[in-house]
Every structure is written in C-alpha cells, then in structure tokens.
Amino acid sequence: MRRTSARPAPAPVSAAARLICIAGPKDGEEFALSEEEYVIGRATDNAICIPDTSVSRKHVMVRKSGAGWAVSDLGSGNGTLINGDAINEETPLANGDVITLGDTELRFEDVANSTMMVGAPAPGPRPRPAASGSRGAVPPRPGPRVEGGRVRSARATAATAPTPEELKKKKLIKLGVAGAVVVLFAGLGVVRMNVQKQQAVAAEEARQGKNHRERLGSLFQDAKNLVREGKWVEAKAKLEELQSEAPEYPGVADYLGHAAREIPVQEKLTAAKEALAKKELGKAGTLLASAGESQFLYEQVNSTKRALSEAADTRTREARKLLDENQLDMAKAITEDILVAFPEHRDAKLINEQAAQAIIVRDTPRPVVQGPAPKPWEPAVDRFRDGDMSGAVAILNACMARTPQCKKVLGQVTEFGNLYKRLEDLDARGLSKLMSLDKDITGGRPSKMARNAGTRAATIFYKGATAAKAAGQWSRAMDYSRKALQADPGHAGATNIISELKAKAKDVYLQAYSLKDGSPEEALPKFKDVVAMTPPDDEYHEKAKTWVEKLSR
C-alpha cells in the first residue's frame, strides 16, 4: 500500500526541469521538460518514447501543476511507482523523485528548485543503498543539509527507501515474469513452426495433386486429339497409360472399347492407302471392302474410296492409251487390276475385252497363204488397222511414188490422223467423218482407233436419242439410236431405246388400226408415228406405211 505520509508541495516550475533515464533501454538519456505536459510510453507518437516492452503504449503523463510538476498513471498494465510507491492518482513531483515504469526508471530533477525549507528530521541512520546490479533499486535520496540553522530537503517528508531484500524480491519477480514470457513466446514459436510446417506439407500435397490432375487431363486430351486424326494405335497407347495411373478416369474405358473396334479398320485403311499410292487398285479395293463399318473413321474410309474411284478412271485412260499404242499386255493388266476393285467398271471391261481379243489375234499363228504378193499399200492398211499410224504413213510414203493408190490412202490416213488428234473435241458430224475415213482405209474392218471414236460417237448419239425420245420425237430418237449402234454395236443404251420404241410402236399401231374406220383423221398421224418409230425391216413399219398411203389418198 502507498504510504500516507504527507507529500510536500510541488517544486516551482523552472526551465531547468528534466527527466533522466537511470535504468532501461534509454539509460543515460535526458528529456528536458519545456512544454506544458508530456505523455510517456512505448508508442512512437508519444512526446517521450520508451521502447520497453514492460512499458505500456500510453503509460504516464507528466504535466505542469500549479507552480510545479505532477505525474499520473494512464491505466498502464504494470502500474507506476514513485520512489517505490504505487500511485493511483495524480501525484506531485519533487526534485530527485524516481518514477518507475516497468523496467525503466526516470529521475525527476529541477535544479532551480532543488530544495525546500523543512524542519530538521530526527537524527538517525541513513538508508543504505541497494545492492549493486539491482535495476529495480531506487538510488538513495540525498540527506538533508543544514544551512544557517535551516534544513533543505528534496521533499518535506521523505519516503522510506526500499530495503535490499525488497529490491531483490522485486528483481526475482521481474526475472520470473520475463522467463515466463520467454517460455510463452518460445512455445508460441514452436506451435507456429508446426502450423507452418503442416501448412507447407498440405500446400505441397495440393500442388502435387493439381499437377497430377493436369497431367492426366493433358494425357486424355492428347489421346482424343489422336482419335480425331484417326490415329487409333497411338491414341490407345495414351489411353492405356492414363488407365494405369487412374483406372477410374471418366471416359477412358469407352475410348478403349472404341479403339478395339477402330484399330483393325485403321490398319486396313492405312494398308489401302499404301496400295493406292503404288497404283495397286485391286488390293486397295479389297482392303477397303473388308474394313467394315467405322464410327470414327467413316469420313476417311469414304475419302479413300473416292480416291480409289478417281484412280480407277485415271488408270482406265492410261489403259486406253496403251491399247491404242498396241501395248496390249500392259493395257490388259491395268484393266484387270481395276476390275478387281470395280467389277462393273464399264470402260475397263471394254478395254480389257479388246486387249484380250487383240492378244489372241496377235498370238495366233497366221497360216502361210500361197498366192499373189500383197499390194504395196496393204501392209500400211494392216499397220493402220492395228493402231500403228506412224508405221502406216512410213510405208505409204515409200510406195506413193510408184502407186497412185498409196498416195490416195496416204491422204486418207493423214486426214484421219488430223481428226483423231481432236477426238475429244469432235461433234457427231466430225466423229461420223472419222469413222467413214476409217471404213474407206480399212475396207470395212474397223481399226482400233475407229473403235475409240465409235465409243465416243455412240455416247453423243445416245444422248441425242434420249432427248428426242423425251420430247416425243420418235423418228429422231430412232435415227440417233441406229447411229449409236453403228458407231458401237454393243451400246446397251441405244439397244434399249430401239426396243422401247418397237414396243411402243406396236401399241400405237393397234390404236391407229382401231381408229382407221371411224376416225381416219386421228388414225393417220398415229400410223405415221409407227413408221417413224420402227426400222424398215420391222413388220409394223411396213403395215403402218401401207395404211399411211391408203389414208392419204
């Protein structure tokens, strides 16, 4: 408890008033008191800052009070002592008073008013100083001095100084508190380190988990990209790697099931493409036919089939050229390969048959005929018939000076050659001229070149016959169909049109016949249609022609 002895009145205000730190972080520093008041504490915005953890942020206030100075505690944590006594209210300061703030001690000095006139105290022993090294000890107050029979003292009634035992006890308490604080902070540090370690482990596990998920996702995406490219074998390897790491990864099992079905298709598709690149059309067609249905490679399979069809047309043109050049075996081999892939390829079948027949003729030994020597132009005609136009021209050039017929045939062959060079551009008239020249040169036995022209002419005439039939122009349709058959005797389309016209002619004839007596004016045009729709050797042609003559009289 605070001693109740009366304290002297505060010392008069003087510019010399100051605080001197005698213990703590600011030990040895002085603070002049030149303002009205000072807040002392740990906060840096205080007038006097004491960086001591045992000092509160706003610990005490020292201010002018009347003619002197006074100090008051601001609700500090460790309290405030004046010369070892706790204060609970504003307390006046006297010169030499020691203010204790936690571990910091400040001595108040007012040099100009360092003494007060008080009665001399009873003689007695002076208090002994505290043991050396004790921070909490209060330095001994200066004893009273007698001057002129009067005693000058720091305070009217001096407080009793703490004993060494009290100072020692106080120091031990402070050390214990400090030790407890150190232990507490050390424990908090250990806890914090453990928490940080656990957080670091959790963060590392989260990072590794994220990286693992990202890797699995990337692996799955790579597999799907390969699937889109039709690379199922490579995709399967990626999917199996993914399944080994994450057996339950969504979608992997489905894709592996697709891979089991698509890989055989892909292998055959790849082999078909390789065969197609080597112009092995038959092999490519067989592989594509055996590939089966595909859910994912549908477009690639169809694309390869289209490429195969285009290759077949290209190879057919090559075979036609080889046939014209009398390279029969190569033409036959190419068309046979095409027919493996496309058994119903019309042009390939035709070329193959022509090549096969020509090979038979070529390989069949010709009987030796004893008779007159051949005419000079006949070897040239044989060469022309076999498609060797340059050989025919050479023979005719050699004999035209001796034989006028050689010169005549040479002119025909030359004209034929000029037209044949423009075969693809010739119209029906030009093709008819070409075939007429061929007939004149060969004596009615068509050459190979004429067969090519005949095929093209038959196509043109057939188109004309089809258009005429659709327009009801029966005579024109019949005429074009006959010309088509003359150009290509095996033309199925022209044959069908003629058959249709004959069947229709029979029906029309019967209608006209039923009208001839009652409505001869209606019967006459129908009989004329029958005449136009039938060839001269047809029985209805002759009958209809007879009725036309009768009804026209």
Side-chain angles (χ1 to χ4, degrees), residues 188-263:
L188 291 175
V190 172
V191 172
R192 183 178 181 183
M193 288 177 61
N194 288 335
V195 171
Q196 290 177 343
K197 184 176 180 181
Q198 292 174 358
Q199 290 175 343
V201 171
E204 178 62 19
E205 290 177 351
R207 185 187 66 79
Q208 292 180 358
K210 180 182 178 183
N211 291 342
H212 183 63
R213 289 191 298 273
E214 289 178 351
R215 180 180 177 279
L216 295 180
S218 176
L219 199 60
F220 192 41
Q221 188 60 48
D222 290 344
K224 290 192 290 185
N225 290 339
L226 290 169
V227 167
R228 294 189 187 97
E229 297 172 8
K231 299 178 180 179
W232 277 97
V233 175
E234 296 86 340
K236 182 183 179 184
K238 295 277 187 183
L239 292 168
E240 288 176 342
E241 180 182 354
L242 176 57
Q243 190 180 52
S244 66
E245 295 188 26
E248 301 301 325
Y249 198 91
V252 173
D254 292 339
Y255 271 96
L256 284 173
H258 290 310
R261 294 186 294 272
E262 297 294 333
I263 286 177

Side-chain angles (χ1 to χ4, degrees), residues 40-42 50 52-61 71-89 91 98-106 170 174:
I40 304 173
R42 194 174 73 252
I50 306 297
D52 185 346
T53 57
S54 64
V55 176
S56 298
R57 293 178 58 80
K58 305 287 185 180
H59 202 111
V60 297
M61 177 184 289
V71 62
S72 59
D73 187 85
L74 298 178
S76 64
N78 291 328
T80 303
L81 304 178
I82 301 295
N83 299 325
D85 294 331
I87 63 172
N88 297 318
E89 57 187 14
T91 304
V98 175
I99 306 171
T100 303
L101 315 176
D103 294 335
T104 296
E105 294 180 352
L106 301 170
K170 182 178 179 181
K174 290 182 179 179

